[in-house]
Amino acid sequence: MSLFVDIEKKLGGFRLRALLDTDAPITGLLGASGCGKSLTLKCIAGIQRPDRGRILLDGRVLFDSEAGIDLPPQQRRVGYLFQQYALFPTMTVYENIRCGARGRGSRAEQDTIVRQMLAQLQLQGLESLRPAQLSGGQAQRVALARMLAADPRLLLLDEPFSALDAHLRDLLQPQLRDLLRTVGRQAVLVTHSRDEAYRLCSTLCIMDEGRTLRTGPTKEVFADPQSMAAARLTGCKNLAEARRVDDHTVEVPAWGVRLQTARPVPDNLRAVGLRAHYFNPRTAVNRFAVQDAGAMEEPFEWCLLFRYAGQDPGSAPLWWRMPKDKKPARMPAELGIAPENVLLLTQ
């Protein structure tokens, strides 16, 4: 299965320019609120019409502005799971799921589909309940069952965990991942959580201010985000403007250091990023004197703040993150970071 999206859409002062070409089982759209993630999903589903571009699903044209093709939502075979699930409040679980099967054969055939969905999503015994009587996890599974009952080729999941508390979210994420593998449908997941994207998505598309910044295998995107916005969205705390010195050396004026890099330094280098977990007092390369700048305690980690000895006093301190049982008694005199952990950012 494959999905290709190359569209533009203007809404008021906001302009969407989305580019996505993926055959991954689960593709994540990661970005801050208002960056265009949900609008991209709505254009794929046919809820919003792009101003220009093309959308193809398994080679089948869903939208093509030049050819004048714009299939209505019901012909696209695309399932859409809204943030709040949008279950019909006056209908039972059985009736909600049956709405998804509408149009798929006779009434008896539709009832068979509903029973299959109830079994597949472990909803037996809840058939007569209404949405207000369901837990958050049950409501999510009912919404998924209704969507799957329509036999979509593509599933669009718009922040499906945003309405759940952290504990339930952690329980349901692996269940959803396993379910999507079981049903064998390609999915696009919208999220603003880097952890959620990393856990669930094999391919990741970073979006910022309506633009697609970076698309690739999720682990590769985290290892090489390529832009300051993508580095920030994937959790990099230490970012600073930098300039190229030679093929494997960069200078960071705000920090007062020169860093050796594993990757060749591009001519259009703009900044560098250092992830907070990768500092090490025993690393010999990129090792500089540091000064304690405070600490922040988190539930399961410590974040020690520091400044390089030659750092601009007006710049923000750097973060060094570690498990609680690894916290040193005092800030080391020097810290290093391996060249392969220096992120080279060109945007």
Side-chain angles (χ1 to χ4, degrees):
M1 293 182 285
S2 63
L3 173 67
F4 175 79
V5 179
D6 182 6
I7 56 173
E8 292 185 12
K9 173 71 176 177
K10 189 171 183 181
L11 280 177
F14 179 79
R15 184 184 178 193
L16 174 71
R17 291 158 290 178
L19 177 61
L20 179 64
D21 189 359
T22 179
D23 58 4
I26 308 178
T27 298
L29 299 186
L30 175 65
S33 297
C35 74
K37 306 184 302 294
S38 295
L39 180 56
T40 300
L41 285 201
K42 290 175 181 177
C43 288
I44 296 171
I47 299 171
Q48 288 277 0
R49 187 182 191 279
D51 298 327
R52 62 149 300 276
R54 302 182 79 210
I55 302 173
L56 283 73
L57 179 60
D58 292 338
R60 178 172 175 249
V61 179
L62 306 185
F63 175 81
D64 188 323
S65 57
E66 292 188 3
I69 298 172
D70 184 18
L71 297 185
Q74 59 271 24
Q75 292 182 19
R76 297 194 178 199
R77 293 192 66 187
V78 172
Y80 198 118
L81 183 65
F82 293 89
Q83 291 182 17
Q84 303 299 327
Y85 310 138
L87 295 173
F88 299 111
T90 60
M91 292 185 179
T92 64
V93 166
Y94 193 98
E95 291 166 341
N96 264 283
I97 299 173
R98 199 171 185 283
C99 284
R102 193 167 45 198
R104 293 189 63 192
S106 66
R107 185 179 183 87
E109 291 170 326
Q110 293 173 20
D111 287 335
T112 298
I113 292 169
V114 174
R115 288 192 293 271
Q116 290 173 344
M117 291 298 103
L118 288 166
Q120 190 170 39
L121 281 92
Q122 301 176 14
L123 292 167
Q124 299 100 323
L126 305 178
E127 295 91 330
S128 61
L129 297 185
R130 287 180 167 75
Q133 299 171 289
L134 303 175
S135 69
Q138 291 168 341
Q140 184 187 81
R141 280 184 284 143
V142 173
L144 283 167
R146 183 180 64 184
M147 180 171 61
L148 292 169
D151 193 29
R153 297 186 63 85
L154 174 69
L155 308 180
L156 304 177
L157 312 175
D158 194 353
E159 301 206 48
F161 304 103
S162 63
L164 307 178
D165 62 59
H167 175 69
L168 186 55
R169 187 162 56 241
D170 290 344
L171 288 177
L172 291 181
Q173 283 177 0
Q175 293 181 22
L176 176 63
R177 179 196 60 204
D178 295 342
L179 172 64
L180 293 176
R181 289 173 180 170
T182 300
V183 300
R185 300 293 196 281
Q186 187 177 12
V188 178
L189 171 74
V190 159
T191 180
H192 61 266
S193 166
R194 66 177 187 274
D195 294 339
E196 189 171 293
Y198 197 89
R199 291 170 185 163
L200 298 178
C201 305
S202 50
T203 289
L204 189 60
C205 173
I206 303 286
M207 297 189 69
D208 182 57
E209 296 182 348
R211 297 178 301 129
T212 299
L213 293 182
R214 173 85 163 92
T215 301
T218 298
K219 291 184 178 180
E220 291 183 15
V221 172
F222 272 74
D224 183 21
Q226 298 182 359
S227 72
M228 292 185 73
R232 192 176 292 111
L233 286 165
T234 55
C236 186
K237 298 297 186 183
N238 305 309
L239 297 166
E241 293 184 357
R243 54 176 174 256
R244 184 182 188 274
V245 175
D246 59 36
D247 287 349
H248 291 280
T249 309
V250 299
E251 184 173 18
V252 190
W255 295 341
V257 298
R258 286 191 173 190
L259 299 170
Q260 301 301 305
T261 71
R263 291 189 177 93
V265 181
D267 291 334
N268 61 339
L269 179 76
R270 177 186 172 190
V272 295
L274 306 178
R275 295 199 185 274
H277 287 94
Y278 289 153
F279 293 103
N280 192 320
R282 293 183 297 275
T283 300
V285 188
N286 295 328
R287 183 184 181 92
F288 304 101
V290 297
Q291 300 167 347
D292 191 344
M296 294 187 296
E297 184 178 9
E298 298 177 346
F300 306 106
E301 290 186 312
W302 274 98
C303 179
L304 304 187
L305 305 180
F306 69 89
R307 293 179 181 276
Y308 287 117
Q311 186 169 340
D312 180 348
S315 63
L318 283 81
W319 293 41
W320 176 26
R321 220 187 256 282
M322 70 208 66
K324 284 199 167 178
D325 61 351
K326 302 296 183 182
K327 182 179 180 290
R330 62 182 62 85
M331 176 68 71
E334 296 180 333
L335 284 176
I337 190 164
E340 58 267 27
N341 292 325
V342 178
L343 304 179
L344 302 175
L345 311 172
T346 56
Q347 298 181 53

